[in-house]
């Protein structure tokens, strides 16, 4: 009797130990409550023995409880998400000089690979001269004196660039590695645990003596000890359920947010805008707390998707038009990617409410630099102005030509050109944009869109022609002339009334062969000012057919400008 009791006690404690030994050692783990769950093929250093994982899948927890992937001795990446079913891992590089890491990193000896579709977007060039074109993104941490290194998108843009003093460093990087968010996805092929995971089973290393590690698929939970130790088991199960429930309810909100962020990141990487409800938008903007600006078409608020991801949210005012059309259009626009175009990352079409969500750029719009007196001391050099003009032109050209469908912006103006810390321009605000096929020569529109002072004549009256991509060319021309004049084109406050309309004034001066005397300090500047003016005047030709395409504009801006012919007088609408 006594013996059998002892035996039972002994047995149950043995079972207890064995359950925990079996489950504990390689049990799923995390570095933080919200951190990704860690299980085979990954293993967590200092928490699990290495046979819990597959070679090359070592993770560790940082001091801040972030999950880190050890790709090599020196290369550690932060892990945001692990998708066991698709065998993908979303990582983030904490180092400022991300590229150095990739250069020293030899991925061929690691189980991870960049996802193919992300792979060809940036090339690095080691140049022996300084490049000021906006396509050349400096990479200071790789540059040595006299040999600056630049990253260039390997899109069609390269054909425009003068790379004669540059050597290509043969590497192509996912574009995300240069983005401020700096998140990218890698996948692994071996070990193949996909099918195990989708069946809800557990994958683990097969115990074998051979060198090459093999994996096997086992049932999710070990049932046998559960049946024997059923009493014990159910107590622990209950305790577990209670703890889990508590954890769950207190973390539910957090988790929901986390899921939204993950969804956003997935979409972001797939170049697909996320859709948000109005409630989400309210949350993202923290109840519309931080207003960034207001335009004729809506108010822009600053928003936060997570600690690292900031966005600009534009709530469209009085948006007329059909929800489905809106969604189709923003989804298309979300797929575009260009250095000179701000990315659209999400949208909201909730009832009658419409919002568009863009990447947030902390720096100011071109408007501030051209018009505001507080920024005048910051005055942009003519060289810079030229680069900005060229960047904007390339951005618009990309919108017009670079995608399957033509994207017409219809609200090009200094306010909508954002400048980053290197004064690289990015076109923002597609609130009014319209898609049309490239063959289409006319766009039907029910109401005039745009901002006075930049609106093309045909937008106001069809007598002058059809609305088309040439309408953006007009707005660009007006923008160019404002950059030249350093003032609004229409300014009734100037003393001399003949100068009130700047484009006409400057046309008359140029037409009479006069030199330009506007804010010119250096010799070469006259030259740039003249070129920008002539291109601007070509763009604001009254009739759309007389205006150049953006492609031609880019070529004109890139050229020397000496041979540019004087355009006809844009201020007559009789022909
Ligand atoms: C990391 O997690 C441990 C416990 O899991 C906690 O005590 C510690 O405060 C966390 N550290 C940070 C920086 O969050
Ligand atoms: C990367 O490693 C593989 C084998 O491990 C080797 O063949 C290859 O040359 C290495 N590449 C570089 C750039 O070091
Ligand atoms: C760029 O080229 C120079 C001269 O050949 C060299 O010293 C430098 O290390 C190169 N930079 C990189 C990042 O390869
Ligand atoms: C390209 O740049 C080099 C040196 O930076 C210069 O000598 C050459 O004339 C340029 N070529 C063109 C077509 O601008
Ligand atoms: C601009 O610079 C001048 C001198 O260079 C200075 O006196 C003036 O206060 C500055 N203005 C602003 C708004 O910074
Ligand atoms: C904006 O650009 C200026 C000029 O380069 C820079 O000094 C400033 O720090 C930038 N502001 C932000 C918020 O990045
Ligand atoms: C405007 O478009 C219509 C058809 O969409 C076309 O018939 C007409 O010729 C166009 N007008 C001009 C001036 O291009
Ligand atoms: C106004 O401008 C015209 C032409 O540019 C010039 O002839 C005239 O002298 C100017 N008047 C004043 C008061 O500056």
């Amino acid at each position: 009797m006594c013996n059998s009791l002892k035996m039972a006690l002994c047995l149950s404690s043995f079972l207890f130990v064995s359950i925990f030994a079996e489950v504990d050692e390689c049990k799923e783990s995390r570095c933080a409550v919200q951190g990704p769950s860690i299980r085979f093929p990954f293993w967590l250093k200092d928490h699990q023995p290495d046979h819990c994982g597959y070679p090359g899948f070592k993770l560790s927890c940082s001091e801040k409880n972030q999950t880190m992937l050890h790709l090599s001795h020196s290369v550690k990446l932060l892990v945001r998400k692990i998708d066991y079913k698709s065998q993908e891992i979303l990582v983030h590089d904490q180092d400022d000089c991300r590229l150095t890491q990739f250069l020293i990193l030899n991925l061929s000896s690691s189980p991870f690979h960049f996802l193919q579709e992300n792979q060809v977007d940036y090339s690095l060039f080691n140049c022996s001269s300084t490049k000021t074109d906006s396509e050349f993104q400096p990479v200071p941490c790789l540059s040595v004196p006299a040999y600056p290194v630049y990253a260039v998108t390997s899109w069609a843009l390269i054909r425009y660039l003068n790379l004669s003093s540059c050597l290509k460093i043969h590497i192509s990087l996912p574009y995300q590695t240069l983005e401020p968010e700096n998140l990218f996805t890698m996948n692994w092929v071996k070990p193949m645990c996909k099918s195990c995971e989708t069946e809800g089973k557990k994958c683990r290393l097969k115990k074998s003596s051979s060198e090459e590690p093999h994996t096997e698929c086992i049932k999710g939970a070990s049932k046998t000890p559960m049946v024997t130790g059923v009493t014990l088991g159910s107590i622990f199960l209950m305790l577990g359920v209670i703890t889990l429930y508590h954890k769950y309810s207190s973390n539910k909100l957090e988790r929901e947010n986390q899921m939204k962020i993950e969804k956003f990141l997935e979409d972001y990487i797939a170049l697909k805008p996320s859709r948000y409800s109005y409630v989400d938008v309210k949350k993202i903007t923290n109840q519309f707390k931080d207003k960034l600006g207001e335009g004729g078409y809506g108010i822009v608020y600053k928003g936060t998707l997570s600690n690292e991801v900031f966005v600009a949210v534009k709530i469209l005012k009085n948006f007329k038009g059909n929800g489905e059309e809106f969604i189709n259009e923003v989804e298309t626009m979300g797929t575009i990617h260009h250095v000179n175009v701000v990315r659209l990352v999400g949208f909201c079409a909730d009832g009658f409410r419409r919002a568009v969500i863009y990447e947030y750029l902390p720096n100011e719009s071109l408007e501030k630099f051209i018009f505001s007196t507080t920024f005048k001391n910051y005055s942009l050099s003519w060289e810079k102005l030229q680069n900005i003009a060229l960047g904007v032109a390339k951005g618009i050209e990309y919108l017009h030509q670079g995608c399957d469908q033509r994207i017409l912006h219809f609200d090009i103006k200094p306010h909508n050109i954002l400048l980053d810390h290197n004064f690289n321009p990015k076109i923002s605000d597609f609130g009014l944009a319209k898609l049309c096929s490239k063959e289409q020569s006319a766009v039907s529109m029910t109401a005039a869109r745009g901002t006075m002072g930049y609106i093309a004549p045909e937008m106001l009256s069809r007598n002058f022609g059809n609305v088309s991509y040439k309408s953006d060319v007009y707005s660009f021309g007006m923008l160019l002339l404002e950059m030249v004049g350093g003032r609004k084109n229409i300014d009734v406050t100037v003393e001399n009334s003949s100068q009130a309309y700047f484009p006409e004034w400057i046309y008359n001066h140029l037409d009479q062969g006069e030199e330009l005397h506007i804010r010119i300090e250096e010799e070469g500047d006259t030259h740039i000012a003249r070129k920008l003016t002539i291109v601007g005047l070509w763009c604001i030709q009254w009739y759309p057919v007389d205006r150049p395409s953006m492609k031609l504009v880019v070529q004109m801006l890139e050229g020397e400008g000496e041979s540019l012919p004087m355009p006809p007088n844009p201020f007559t609408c009789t022909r």
Side-chain angles (χ1 to χ4, degrees):
M1 184 69 188
C2 190
N3 265 357
S4 65
L5 188 67
K6 248 187 200 162
M7 181 102 147
L9 265 178
C10 191
L11 188 70
S12 60
S13 69
F14 170 76
L15 269 176
F16 180 87
V17 168
S18 74
I19 291 169
F20 279 75
E22 177 82 10
V23 178
D24 225 8
E25 199 179 44
C26 293
K27 189 181 64 168
E28 193 168 278
S29 179
R30 283 170 204 269
C31 286
V33 183
Q34 307 97 320
S37 76
I38 298 165
R39 58 174 184 267
F40 190 85
F42 294 92
W43 62 285
L44 189 55
K45 188 175 158 260
D46 301 330
H47 291 71
Q48 295 172 340
D50 58 2
H51 69 77
C52 290
Y54 198 82
F57 286 77
K58 177 157 87 176
L59 299 178
S60 68
C61 298
S62 72
E63 285 143 21
K64 290 182 189 156
N65 292 345
Q66 290 161 306
T67 316
M68 285 196 303
L69 174 68
H70 296 235
L71 275 184
S72 74
H73 268 307
S74 52
V75 182
K76 290 180 192 136
L77 300 170
L78 292 182
V79 180
R80 283 293 178 75
K81 194 184 158 194
I82 302 173
D83 189 329
Y84 290 92
K85 285 184 185 150
S86 57
Q87 303 198 165
E88 284 172 9
I89 179 167
L90 180 63
V91 291
H92 166 77
D93 189 346
Q94 57 194 358
D95 193 339
D96 273 344
C97 190
R98 306 127 199 180
L99 289 158
T100 19
Q101 293 213 344
F102 290 101
L103 287 176
I104 38 178
L105 181 65
N106 186 347
L107 272 183
S108 64
S109 56
S110 123
F112 300 98
H113 311 276
F114 290 129
L115 276 185
Q116 204 60 41
E117 67 244 46
N118 292 337
Q119 200 159 351
V120 282
D121 290 328
Y122 273 100
S123 301
L124 294 182
F125 289 92
N126 186 353
C127 300
S128 56
S129 64
T130 311
K131 301 285 179 187
T132 48
D133 284 332
S134 55
E135 280 67 37
F136 290 93
Q137 290 193 42
V139 185
C141 63
L142 283 182
S143 304
V144 291
Y147 289 102
V149 171
Y150 297 97
V152 178
T153 45
S154 30
W155 295 66
L157 281 176
I158 275 184
R159 73 190 141 95
Y160 292 118
L161 303 176
N162 180 356
L163 293 164
S164 62
S165 61
C166 301
L167 257 183
K168 185 168 177 179
I169 302 174
H170 278 279
I171 181 165
S172 62
L173 293 170
Y175 68 81
Q176 287 92 350
T177 54
L178 280 183
E179 296 279 295
E181 292 81 15
N182 189 19
L183 272 165
F184 50 97
T185 306
M186 296 193 296
N187 64 354
W188 70 87
V189 177
K190 246 182 116 179
M192 194 54 122
C193 287
K194 246 181 212 176
S195 48
C196 251
E197 287 283 341
T198 35
E199 284 166 28
K201 290 181 182 167
K202 260 176 81 174
C203 199
R204 70 173 182 196
L205 266 189
K206 209 180 204 165
K207 290 186 187 91
S208 72
S209 54
S210 71
E211 287 289 297
E212 181 78 358
H214 286 285
T215 55
E216 62 185 359
C217 210
I218 54 162
K219 285 216 180 74
S222 38
K223 288 231 174 71
T224 351
M226 271 300 230
V227 176
T228 353
V230 70
T231 347
L232 216 81
S234 51
I235 290 169
F236 278 103
L237 198 68
M238 218 133 97
L239 279 177
V241 167
I242 290 166
T243 345
L244 260 177
Y245 178 75
H246 271 281
K247 258 199 182 149
Y248 178 78
S249 51
S250 70
N251 285 328
K252 196 174 164 211
L253 256 177
E254 216 169 310
R255 206 173 311 196
E256 262 174 17
N257 281 337
Q258 187 66 24
M259 265 163 58
K260 279 192 186 121
I261 292 166
E262 279 177 13
K263 165 91 172 66
F264 160 77
L265 293 173
E266 268 169 25
D267 288 346
Y268 190 85
I269 280 166
L271 285 175
K272 188 170 152 254
S274 311
R275 184 171 181 172
Y276 293 96
S277 69
Y278 192 67
V279 175
D280 293 336
V281 168
K282 262 192 183 146
K283 252 189 236 153
I284 289 168
T285 57
N286 194 5
Q287 312 292 332
F288 308 113
K289 210 165 165 195
D290 195 354
K291 187 162 147 184
L292 293 172
E294 180 164 8
Y297 294 87
I299 305 174
V300 186
Y301 298 94
K302 187 172 172 181
T304 320
L305 281 171
S306 76
N307 289 340
E308 281 113 307
V309 186
F310 294 102
V311 288
V313 180
K314 181 169 196 170
I315 311 290
L316 302 180
K317 271 200 276 206
N318 311 321
F319 190 89
K320 299 201 186 71
N322 152 335
E324 206 167 310
E325 191 184 331
F326 172 78
I327 292 166
N328 287 341
E329 298 204 347
V330 288
E331 282 191 333
T332 309
M333 287 171 215
T335 61
I336 62 179
H337 189 74
H338 187 275
V339 237
N340 297 118
V341 180
V342 168
R343 251 189 90 178
L344 181 103
V345 295
F347 65 93
C348 162
D350 194 347
F352 58 92
R353 282 158 171 146
R354 302 278 180 274
V356 280
I357 302 173
Y358 301 99
E359 70 174 304
Y360 171 73
L361 295 179
N363 246 320
E364 296 291 350
S365 73
L366 181 58
E367 186 182 35
K368 290 265 167 52
F369 287 96
I370 321 183
F371 305 135
S372 136
T373 42
T374 48
F375 281 78
K376 272 276 150 70
N377 275 5
Y378 224 78
S379 188
L380 297 167
S381 68
W382 282 94
E383 197 75 37
K384 278 257 153 63
L385 283 175
Q386 176 173 252
N387 285 336
I388 292 171
L390 188 56
V392 176
K394 284 181 180 175
I396 303 174
E397 195 215 351
Y398 173 77
L399 294 177
H400 286 178
Q401 295 292 350
C403 323
D404 296 341
Q405 274 193 302
R406 214 192 268 287
I407 296 171
L408 306 187
H409 188 288
F410 286 139
D411 203 15
I412 299 287
K413 57 177 176 176
H415 183 84
N416 286 338
I417 307 300
L418 303 182
L419 298 176
D420 71 8
H421 54 281
N422 285 325
F423 296 105
N424 294 320
K426 279 186 189 251
I427 301 167
S428 81
D429 206 338
F430 296 81
L432 308 178
K434 187 117 182 111
L435 298 175
C436 63
S437 76
K438 283 188 191 152
E439 293 73 39
Q440 207 170 335
S441 69
V443 182
S444 66
M445 259 196 285
T446 45
R449 304 184 182 200
T451 305
M452 274 313 189
Y454 306 91
I455 279 190
E458 68 271 16
M459 298 279 270
L460 301 172
S461 164
R462 291 307 121 78
N463 292 338
F464 305 122
N466 289 322
V467 172
S468 70
Y469 66 98
K470 292 286 182 73
S471 311
D472 277 349
V473 176
Y474 183 93
S475 306
F476 174 75
M478 291 308 256
L479 177 140
L480 213 49
L481 292 174
E482 290 193 333
M483 288 169 71
V484 172
R487 48 164 277 194
K488 289 272 186 199
N489 281 332
I490 304 165
D491 186 354
V492 289
T493 64
V494 295
E495 293 123 43
N496 196 333
S497 70
S498 73
Q499 296 185 0
Y501 189 51
F502 179 75
E504 189 155 19
W505 178 81
I506 201 166
Y507 177 82
N508 291 335
H509 277 252
L510 271 184
D511 201 31
Q512 286 154 23
E514 288 176 41
E515 280 295 310
L516 292 172
H517 296 290
I518 28 171
R519 302 180 297 126
I520 302 287
E521 277 154 23
E522 281 171 45
E523 195 54 24
D525 291 351
T526 328
H527 181 81
I528 298 178
R530 192 186 150 82
K531 178 167 81 176
L532 297 185
T533 307
I534 292 180
V535 175
L537 291 169
W538 270 112
C539 292
I540 62 165
Q541 290 295 309
W542 195 270
Y543 291 99
V545 286
D546 297 337
R547 297 174 208 147
S549 69
M550 282 320 286
K551 191 180 161 94
L552 198 55
V553 168
V554 168
Q555 281 167 9
M556 284 155 94
L557 288 172
E558 278 175 330
E560 284 302 310
E562 298 298 354
S563 54
L564 284 181
M566 193 60 190
N569 188 343
F571 310 104
T572 49
C573 53
T574 47
R575 287 205 293 187

